[in-house]
Amino acid sequence: MSWSERLKELGLELPGVAAPLAAYVPAVQSGNHVYTSGQLPFVDGVLAATGKVGAEISPEEAKGHARTSALNALAAVHALVGIDNVTRIVKVVGFVASAEGFTGQPAVVNGASELLGEVFGDAGIHARSAVGVAELPIGSPVEVELIVEVQ
């Protein structure tokens, strides 16, 4: 089964690629790796939420936003090389805009990791960083970037 077929089986559709907010591109390929820029939880071109996790945004809500951000990162990969050319997810980096004292960043970024596991199975097992930050662009609660190996 191809990855695009797997997405359909899961009832998922890759969105359009989010327009960059500054001077960068959504993804670049170097050799057999694709590096995505940080992706925010845009849905139909609109940021799904703003605020800090542990204050305005609950950890469970943020986990869903991390999932959306990962789906947006996959859209950037797909637009560059085609989703069916992915051979494995190498690394996920998740940033979480965190209220003071919030330390649940790993659970939030699980939203991205779990999505990648659902779609890619064993090829979705990856290295990861989950980082708490004071602020993210345009008030986003999360940002996710991927390193993906392609054929």
Side-chain angles (χ1 to χ4, degrees), residues 6-7 10-15 39-43 59-75 107-119 142-144 146:
R6 178 67 179 145
L7 284 166
L10 292 169
L12 298 171
E13 188 175 319
L14 292 175
Q39 298 294 312
L40 306 180
F42 283 110
V43 176
E60 275 304 309
E61 183 182 4
K63 182 178 178 181
H65 295 313
R67 180 182 178 92
T68 299
S69 297
L71 196 60
N72 289 338
L74 289 178
V108 169
V109 180
N110 276 349
S113 295
E114 291 169 4
L115 170 77
L116 297 167
E118 290 170 27
V119 174
V142 297
E143 182 173 344
V144 172
L146 302 178

Side-chain angles (χ1 to χ4, degrees), residues 25-37 39 72-83 85-92 145-151:
V25 295
V28 297
Q29 183 176 0
S30 179
N32 64 337
H33 289 94
V34 172
Y35 299 79
T36 71
S37 296
Q39 298 294 312
N72 289 338
L74 289 178
V77 171
H78 178 64
L80 187 64
V81 298
I83 196 75
N85 288 311
V86 171
T87 56
R88 81 166 296 125
I89 305 299
V90 177
K91 186 166 185 182
V92 173
E145 60 184 53
L146 302 178
I147 301 172
V148 177
E149 184 180 69
V150 296
Q151 53 185 344

